[in-house]
Amino acid sequence: GVVVHLPDYRRAPEHVYPAALQDGLAAWQGLLADGWRPEQIVLGGDSAGCTLILAMAIALRDTSQALPAGLLMLSPFLDLTLSLPSVRSHARRDPMLTAHVLKRGGDSYRGQLAADDERVSPLLAPLHALPATLVQAGSEEILVDDARRFDTLARAAGVAVRCEIHDGMWHNFQMFHALVKQAGVALDNAGAFLRQQLPG
């Protein structure tokens, strides 16, 4: 029951950082110019899109601008260093994703910046004063530790976080909601979060 805006932002490898972030922030300003209020907007993303929305929220915070009502992150990819344990321990458990694909995408996105630069790996940035966030990940995905680490760090920084680790699920499992009951449950939870964060 919400209006969805899907910005066609510039993407790697043709356009490296900060092109996507600039376009995301331009889309945000466009929504405000159209009359939407920050408290009427939740930023949502999946996989690498979570890096973009988290970087957007951090940029708004650091420039003392109004923040969105919430963040919705599905199977987040937030650390381009690929140094968290599940990248290796779950390598044969996730049918959707490999470390090679993640490295290729991350290297294309970051341009000349190092993988551990917090501008492209926002998991490494200070996470205080961010909006309420729902994080969903599958227990079998190689990025599950990105979700868990974000939950730990953001919660310690005072952010209201709910982190759902769905047992037996893989990267971006929500797209299989027509076939997998647990994926439908996850989407229902995401819808409930949106209803909770957005004004009636």
Side-chain angles (χ1 to χ4, degrees), residues 13-81:
E14 293 82 6
H15 304 283
V16 301
Y17 181 89
L21 177 61
Q22 291 171 342
D23 290 355
L25 292 171
W28 168 262
Q29 294 300 330
L31 290 174
L32 300 184
D34 285 345
W36 295 95
R37 302 188 307 276
E39 64 268 23
Q40 293 178 300
I41 303 171
V42 168
L43 300 181
D46 72 282
S47 195
C50 298
T51 280
L52 178 55
I53 67 164
L54 182 54
M56 287 174 60
I58 290 170
L60 293 171
R61 178 201 68 193
D62 288 351
T63 52
S64 301
Q65 298 184 59
L67 294 172
L71 302 178
L72 173 61
M73 299 199 293
L74 310 181
S75 293
F77 177 30
L78 302 174
D79 180 3
L80 271 59
T81 70

Side-chain angles (χ1 to χ4, degrees), residues 87-122:
V87 173
R88 295 175 298 280
S89 64
H90 288 44
R92 296 184 179 275
R93 293 164 59 176
D94 189 339
M96 290 292 289
L97 202 56
T98 66
H100 171 74
V101 168
L102 290 170
K103 185 177 188 306
R104 183 178 63 192
D107 287 351
S108 296
Y109 172 72
R110 63 185 175 84
Q112 298 302 309
L113 296 179
D116 64 356
D117 191 306
E118 66 185 40
R119 289 172 289 179
V120 292
S121 289

Side-chain angles (χ1 to χ4, degrees), residues 66-200:
L67 294 172
L71 302 178
L72 173 61
M73 299 199 293
L74 310 181
S75 293
F77 177 30
L78 302 174
D79 180 3
L80 271 59
T81 70
L82 298 173
S83 59
L84 294 175
S86 62
V87 173
R88 295 175 298 280
S89 64
H90 288 44
R92 296 184 179 275
R93 293 164 59 176
D94 189 339
M96 290 292 289
L97 202 56
T98 66
H100 171 74
V101 168
L102 290 170
K103 185 177 188 306
R104 183 178 63 192
D107 287 351
S108 296
Y109 172 72
R110 63 185 175 84
Q112 298 302 309
L113 296 179
D116 64 356
D117 191 306
E118 66 185 40
R119 289 172 289 179
V120 292
S121 289
L123 187 63
L124 308 180
L127 298 178
H128 62 280
L130 293 174
T133 304
L134 173 63
V135 182
Q136 293 181 347
S139 66
E140 304 308 297
E141 66 173 291
I142 65 175
L143 291 174
V144 67
D145 282 347
D146 282 49
R148 289 173 171 148
R149 185 69 173 152
F150 174 84
D151 178 50
T152 299
L153 294 174
R155 194 179 298 273
V159 179
V161 182
R162 187 164 88 239
C163 182
E164 300 177 357
I165 307 298
H166 290 262
D167 191 47
M169 295 293 103
W170 51 88
H171 186 69
N172 274 5
F173 67 94
Q174 296 89 343
M175 72 173 69
F176 296 95
H177 61 91
L179 302 173
V180 180
K181 181 179 179 180
Q182 188 66 19
V185 169
L187 288 183
D188 287 344
N189 293 350
F193 172 77
L194 293 175
R195 287 190 295 273
Q196 181 181 28
Q197 298 308 126
L198 295 173

